[in-house]
């Protein structure tokens, strides 16, 4: 591997915590899997071994495998160099536009003054305990290495600094009853997670609601919805079931997502009922 100063600097930056894709981000996972597959197929098409490719682009071989496996978010410099080395004619470099959105969404969360999130399969990362996060990430298939799991847990918990900001952002969450009943990590970890949800749900700037299993009308069956609003009046949103899951700034698209989220909130238990329900679940464990 090249040992000049620039190559070592790039290798270190791409290996820092937070550069793993969050396995709960289905769109981000899909984007990075597609980019990684393109890189691997291009490399194999020119009969270049991963070790030789690593030397050519100035990154570690382990990172090459992780990027190709969709487990690490590549920097723009990596994609530009890979495009040049593999003679892709700009096709690999062009994937940066989607990769950049995966990277930027996490940063946007830290700047938002309003965060609204409906989750159908998991407890949102912003509300997870460390043990819950470790169990969820550790259950991914194919599995992450223990070091990668710990880095991803640390990155997920670091996002929760949003609760410590001043002025505090307004946060709204709608969770599924079925998710709350699943004791991820075991009974004790499940209890700790429910206790944490009660603590978060009682914060003055947090609204937490539960979608009950006996709800006979449900407008969230298309999947996750996320809406972020910023101090300058701009916003970004995305939904698994709309606009190919891609983040959108379009006012027309945002109105659709806001309508869907508002309808889901109306169908869920009220915030007071939701906290009482979580307390009931806690008493049953």
């Amino acid at each position: 591997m090249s040992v000049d100063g620039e190559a070592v600097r790039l290798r270190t930056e791409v290996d820092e915590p937070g550069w793993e894709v969050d396995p709960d981000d289905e769109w981000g996972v899909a984007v990075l899997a597609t980019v990684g597959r393109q890189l691997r197929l291009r490399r194999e098409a020119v009969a270049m071994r991963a070790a030789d490719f690593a030397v050519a682009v100035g990154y570690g071989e382990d990172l090459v495998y992780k990027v190709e496996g969709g487990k690490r978010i590549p920097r723009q410099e990596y994609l530009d160099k890979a495009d040049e080395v593999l003679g892709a004619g700009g096709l690999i470099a062009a994937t940066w536009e989607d990769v950049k959105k995966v990277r930027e969404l996490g940063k946007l969360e830290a700047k938002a003054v309003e965060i609204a999130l409906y989750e159908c399969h998991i407890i949102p990362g912003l509300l997870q305990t460390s043990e819950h996060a470790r169990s969820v990430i550790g259950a991914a298939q194919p599995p992450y290495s223990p070091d990668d799991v710990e880095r991803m847990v640390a990155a997920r918990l670091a996002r929760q600094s949003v609760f410590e900001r001043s002025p505090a952002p307004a946060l709204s969450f709608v969770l599924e009853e079925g998710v709350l009943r699943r004791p991820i990590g075991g009974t004790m970890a499940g209890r700790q997670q429910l206790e944490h949800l009660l603590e978060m749900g009682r914060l003055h700037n947090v609204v937490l609601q539960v979608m009950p299993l006996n709800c006979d009308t449900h407008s969230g069956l298309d999947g996750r919805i996320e809406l972020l609003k910023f101090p300058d009046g701009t916003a970004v949103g995305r939904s698994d079931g709309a606009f190919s899951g891609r983040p959108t700034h379009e006012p027309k698209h945002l109105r659709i997502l806001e309508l869907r989220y508002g309808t889901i909130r109306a169908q869920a238990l009220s915030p007071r009922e939701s906290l009482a329900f979580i307390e009931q679940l806690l008493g049953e464990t």
Side-chain angles (χ1 to χ4, degrees):
M1 183 180 71
S2 172
V3 294
D4 61 89
E6 181 67 9
V8 172
R9 182 183 68 82
L10 290 173
R11 182 192 63 187
T12 302
E13 285 178 352
V14 81
D15 200 33
E16 67 188 8
W19 279 97
E20 295 87 357
V21 63
D22 190 326
D24 294 342
D25 180 357
E26 294 182 10
W27 177 78
V29 168
V31 167
L32 296 189
T34 299
V35 171
R37 185 164 55 250
Q38 288 185 42
L39 283 164
R40 179 176 57 81
L41 291 175
R42 286 274 179 179
R43 176 175 61 76
E44 292 175 349
V46 297
M48 180 177 285
R49 297 183 309 149
D52 296 330
F53 177 75
V55 171
V57 297
Y59 285 79
E61 184 178 353
D62 182 55
L63 291 173
V64 169
Y65 281 122
K66 286 180 178 179
V67 170
E68 290 185 353
K71 291 186 174 182
R72 191 60 61 89
I73 304 175
R75 288 184 176 273
Q76 184 174 16
E77 296 97 319
Y78 182 99
L79 296 173
D80 287 345
K81 187 64 176 177
D83 193 281
E84 176 187 335
V85 169
L86 300 175
L91 293 178
I92 290 177
T95 63
W96 170 247
E97 288 306 311
D98 273 341
V99 172
K100 181 171 63 174
K101 291 176 183 177
V102 177
R103 175 190 176 192
E104 288 179 346
L105 274 174
K107 293 186 175 183
L108 290 175
E109 194 175 69
K111 299 176 182 177
V113 294
E114 293 183 38
I115 298 175
L117 185 59
Y118 163 67
E119 281 283 10
C120 51
H121 301 305
I122 63 167
I123 291 173
L126 287 176
L127 296 175
Q128 291 179 9
T129 64
S130 60
E131 192 58 38
H132 185 98
R134 188 170 290 107
S135 298
V136 170
I137 296 170
Q141 292 296 329
Y144 294 95
S145 72
D147 286 345
D148 281 345
V149 170
E150 290 307 312
R151 276 197 294 267
M152 295 171 81
V153 170
R156 184 167 296 184
L157 296 181
R159 289 170 51 205
Q160 297 178 6
S161 62
V162 67
F163 290 102
E164 302 168 5
R165 280 173 37 201
S166 181
L171 299 110
S172 169
F173 302 94
V174 182
L175 315 180
E176 288 287 341
E177 175 186 342
V179 171
L180 301 183
R181 289 187 176 277
R182 186 173 295 117
I184 298 295
T187 302
M188 185 56 65
R191 284 187 58 84
Q192 292 172 347
Q193 181 61 69
L194 291 176
E195 290 170 350
H196 184 65
L197 289 176
L198 285 174
E199 180 183 351
M200 294 294 100
R202 290 171 179 148
L203 295 176
H204 74 281
N205 61 316
V206 175
V207 175
L208 194 154
Q209 294 178 255
V210 175
M211 178 68 79
L213 287 173
N214 64 4
C215 181
D216 58 9
T217 303
H218 194 332
S219 297
L221 298 180
D222 279 344
R224 183 178 197 246
I225 295 175
E226 182 178 19
L227 289 161
L228 306 177
K229 297 184 179 181
F230 307 102
D232 62 0
T234 61
V236 63
R238 61 172 170 164
S239 170
D240 293 342
F243 323 122
S244 302
R246 293 171 177 267
T248 179
H249 298 269
E250 292 291 330
K252 180 173 69 173
H253 294 168
L254 292 171
R255 284 195 296 272
I256 291 173
L257 296 183
E258 287 174 346
L259 173 62
R260 291 183 182 179
Y261 185 74
T263 304
I264 291 168
R265 286 196 62 188
Q267 294 164 345
L269 299 177
S270 72
R272 183 184 296 274
E273 292 169 334
S274 296
L275 292 182
F277 183 78
I278 295 173
E279 288 179 331
Q280 177 187 328
L281 288 180
L282 190 55
E284 295 174 0
T285 60

